[in-house]
Amino acid sequence: MKNILLALAVLISAGGCATSPLPINNARSVSMERVFRADALPLANSARAVFVRDAGFSGGGAYQHLYIDGKKAASLNPGEKVEFMLTPGKHIFGAAPTDSSDTRSLTVTEQDLKADKSYFYRIQMDGDSSRATLQRFMPDYQ
């Protein structure tokens, strides 16, 4: 019985650390004081890029910092989203967790954005919370 309770406690603890995709309609918007790009206003013929941080506990005590073309664009808590209107063409998106000791690396992905199109990305943590990943996805409502 003791072993069963121990195994159950381990499973619950491990599940609590996992992140999971969050439906985009359930994500909260990032607070404006954590959005650092001034060009987030809609522009004619622009491309829309939406970034959603997974819900869950993994890395929950630290922001995930989003970078666009090498510049910090926003800092997201679990379950938050941020949207940017960008010029069409190639852009480099990056994500990295808060790291006061500067030991974590920036994960990047390149995307060729088309005018009047929408692009959606998940920001998620790897198993040990040392690295963020960006994954493109299609939301359920489209």
Side-chain angles (χ1 to χ4, degrees):
M1 182 70 171
K2 187 190 288 185
N3 289 340
I4 293 172
L5 290 176
L6 179 61
L8 184 59
V10 169
L11 284 174
I12 290 171
S13 295
C17 293
T19 63
S20 58
L22 181 70
I24 198 161
N25 291 334
N26 294 349
R28 302 172 316 277
S29 293
V30 171
S31 173
M32 288 307 294
E33 68 238 9
R34 289 186 279 116
V35 177
F36 309 111
R37 283 187 64 114
D39 57 350
L41 300 175
L43 305 170
N45 299 317
S46 60
R48 176 178 172 228
V50 180
F51 301 87
V52 181
R53 181 170 173 192
D54 279 358
F57 183 73
S58 183
Y63 291 124
Q64 286 294 327
H65 302 291
L66 171 67
Y67 295 83
I68 299 176
D69 299 326
K71 296 180 182 167
K72 191 178 193 180
S75 296
L76 291 84
N77 273 320
E80 289 186 333
K81 67 181 173 184
V82 65
E83 177 179 330
F84 295 99
M85 302 304 287
L86 302 170
T87 57
K90 289 188 180 182
H91 292 276
I92 298 174
F93 304 128
T98 298
D99 183 10
S100 58
S101 57
D102 201 26
T103 58
R104 297 180 181 162
S105 61
L106 181 69
T107 302
V108 297
T109 186
E110 185 175 328
Q111 182 75 56
D112 189 9
L113 304 180
K114 306 295 182 201
D116 302 318
K117 298 276 185 192
S118 293
Y119 299 84
F120 299 87
Y121 300 89
R122 285 179 58 202
I123 301 173
Q124 53 195 5
M125 293 295 291
D126 66 2
D128 64 0
S129 300
S130 65
R131 189 170 158 236
T133 59
L134 285 169
Q135 178 184 1
R136 190 157 172 218
F137 75 97
M138 293 300 295
D140 292 336
Y141 65 82
Q142 281 196 336

